[in-house]
Amino acid sequence: MARTPLRSDLIEQITARVLDRRLAAGARVNEVHLARELGVSRTPLREALIGLADRGLLVSAPGRGFLVPPFDPDEARRLYPLVAELEALALRWTSPLELAGLPDELDAVAAEMTRALAEGGDLSALDDRWHALLLSRCPNPHLLRLVEQTKPLLKRYESAYFAGEGHAGESIGEHRRIAAALRDGDLATASSVLVANWVKALAYLGKDGR
């Protein structure tokens, strides 16, 4: 039990290194170097690496240790619809009474995204915040855990989607449509636009999947 926070922290730190490509796609994880960099022993590090392999963010290769999976467009084509349906299900699972005030909060984050877009800022963290806020009223922890564990797999591909201002602007517009539908109590439309928002991102993936 005492090691649980350390393991969680290591998983978070290693995930960040995969997502920002400090641990490059297709590369082998140097456990000695990584343990030294993170200031931990090999045992908790290996536990964290096994956990990430269980989630699919790393691959355990016999005789080679742990590898960062290469980019695979087919994986992205599977992940985007999956996350879309999980988020839509979490939204539909939420009682309309629990959604009071949420559209205004969502619009506030969307406004920050619009300002960041105009200033050439990074929208990724704001987009993460918007989606986390959207699901924050869902009462099903098991469903939310599935979303949390699946999203890092997808986030490796997100840079292609947010690279273009037109695409990002369109996405922000859809975020506002979702908030408007929730304000009207129209969960069906909100869910439909949410799924479309995720699935549409596939059109912006580069030919190499990055």
Side-chain angles (χ1 to χ4, degrees):
M1 293 294 292
R3 287 204 326 226
T4 300
L6 176 59
R7 181 177 182 273
S8 299
D9 183 59
L10 287 175
I11 285 177
E12 184 177 328
Q13 292 189 57
I14 297 167
T15 297
R17 283 164 169 75
V18 172
L19 296 184
D20 66 17
R21 304 186 192 181
R22 280 177 285 173
L23 291 174
R28 183 176 70 85
V29 177
N30 186 324
E31 294 182 40
V32 174
H33 175 79
L34 188 57
R36 186 183 304 118
E37 182 180 321
L38 296 174
V40 297
S41 67
R42 293 282 297 279
T43 298
L45 176 65
R46 179 162 281 269
E47 289 177 354
L49 293 173
I50 290 171
L52 288 169
D54 288 342
R55 299 181 187 186
L57 199 62
L58 296 176
V59 174
S60 179
R64 299 184 63 193
F66 294 90
L67 307 175
V68 180
F71 286 104
D72 179 2
D74 288 335
E75 179 186 39
R77 294 185 186 101
R78 292 188 295 266
L79 286 170
Y80 273 91
L82 174 60
V83 171
E85 294 297 339
L86 287 174
E87 283 204 350
L89 180 58
L91 188 57
R92 293 194 298 270
W93 207 296
T94 307
S95 164
L97 294 177
E98 295 295 326
L99 295 173
L102 183 61
D104 291 341
E105 296 178 48
L106 292 171
D107 277 340
V109 179
E112 289 187 54
M113 295 175 72
T114 299
R115 288 193 294 270
L117 180 61
E119 297 168 1
D122 181 12
L123 299 184
S124 181
L126 287 169
D127 187 67
D128 288 346
R129 203 169 104 206
W130 190 93
H131 282 273
L133 182 59
L134 180 69
L135 305 189
S136 63
R137 312 290 176 87
C138 176
N140 189 326
H142 306 290
L143 178 53
L144 293 176
R145 193 174 301 118
L146 283 174
V147 175
E148 180 184 358
Q149 293 178 353
T150 306
K151 270 198 171 181
L153 303 177
L154 178 147
K155 283 186 66 63
R156 298 205 304 149
Y157 297 89
E158 276 195 343
S159 59
Y161 182 42
F162 285 105
E165 290 187 7
H167 305 154
E170 182 179 358
S171 179
I172 294 169
E174 289 168 345
H175 286 29
R176 291 188 179 278
R177 285 181 59 202
I178 293 167
L182 292 177
R183 189 175 285 110
D184 292 338
D186 189 352
L187 270 177
T189 295
S191 298
S192 176
V193 176
L194 177 63
V195 170
N197 176 255
W198 276 114
V199 174
K200 193 178 296 183
L202 286 170
Y204 304 130
L205 287 174
K207 292 182 180 180
D208 61 355
R210 288 179 288 174

